[in-house]
Amino acid sequence: MASSAGLTLVEIMIVLVILGVVMATVGSKIFGAGDKAKRNLTELKLQQLKSDIEQYQLRYNSLPGSLTDLSQCTENTGQGCLPISNADSIVDAWAQPFVYSLNGRAYEIRSLGADGRDGGEGVNWDVTIKGP
């Protein structure tokens, strides 16, 4: 009898199931790494914003009224000012604007995470930084 040199349907299905399990495992790690990188980028942007706010305070002897004051000339800075930062620096890695609030001489900057809403877990967790 001549032996056939092909694969049976069962063998093909087993190979497809194994490939599916491998892709699911590897894929979840790859996609999770992208979200983690965006969270790290957001934390770095918050640190840079804190530095920009301190520079603004040294230049103009007051805290900015909003984060857009850092990237454009206002009444407080006068015409012809040199912006401290750019418009890209006042949004987080998910292209959501940072939430900025003043409380007297203190401020708080927050990113609402990947979902853009208060609270959450993982990449949806809010990141907050406070200033003096």
Side-chain angles (χ1 to χ4, degrees):
M1 287 201 321
S3 64
S4 59
L7 296 174
T8 65
L9 181 60
V10 173
E11 292 171 328
I12 292 172
M13 288 177 64
I14 290 172
V15 169
L16 288 176
V17 168
I18 291 171
L19 284 174
V21 170
V22 169
M23 290 304 293
T25 304
V26 172
S28 67
K29 293 190 184 277
I30 290 172
F31 290 118
D35 286 335
K36 197 172 195 179
K38 284 185 177 183
R39 183 170 175 82
N40 289 341
L41 177 61
T42 297
E43 289 173 356
L44 288 172
K45 286 180 124 183
L46 281 171
Q47 289 294 331
Q48 181 60 45
L49 272 177
K50 183 176 181 181
S51 175
D52 292 347
I53 289 172
E54 290 170 358
Q55 185 177 357
Y56 182 97
Q57 191 173 19
L58 286 173
R59 277 190 198 177
Y60 304 109
N61 200 25
S62 67
L63 290 171
S66 70
L67 292 178
T68 56
D69 292 354
L70 299 172
S71 62
Q72 61 189 12
C73 296
T74 64
E75 234 179 68
N76 192 30
T77 61
Q79 289 192 339
C81 73
L82 294 174
I84 295 172
S85 65
N86 58 30
D88 291 337
S89 66
I90 59 175
V91 295
D92 63 16
W94 296 279
Q96 300 288 331
F98 286 111
V99 178
Y100 175 73
S101 60
L102 284 171
N103 185 9
R105 295 180 54 156
Y107 62 88
E108 180 179 279
I109 314 167
R110 291 183 357 180
S111 167
L112 299 178
D115 64 354
R117 293 183 290 171
D118 284 329
E121 295 181 8
V123 293
N124 295 330
W125 187 261
D126 298 349
V127 183
T128 304
I129 195 166
K130 297 181 180 187

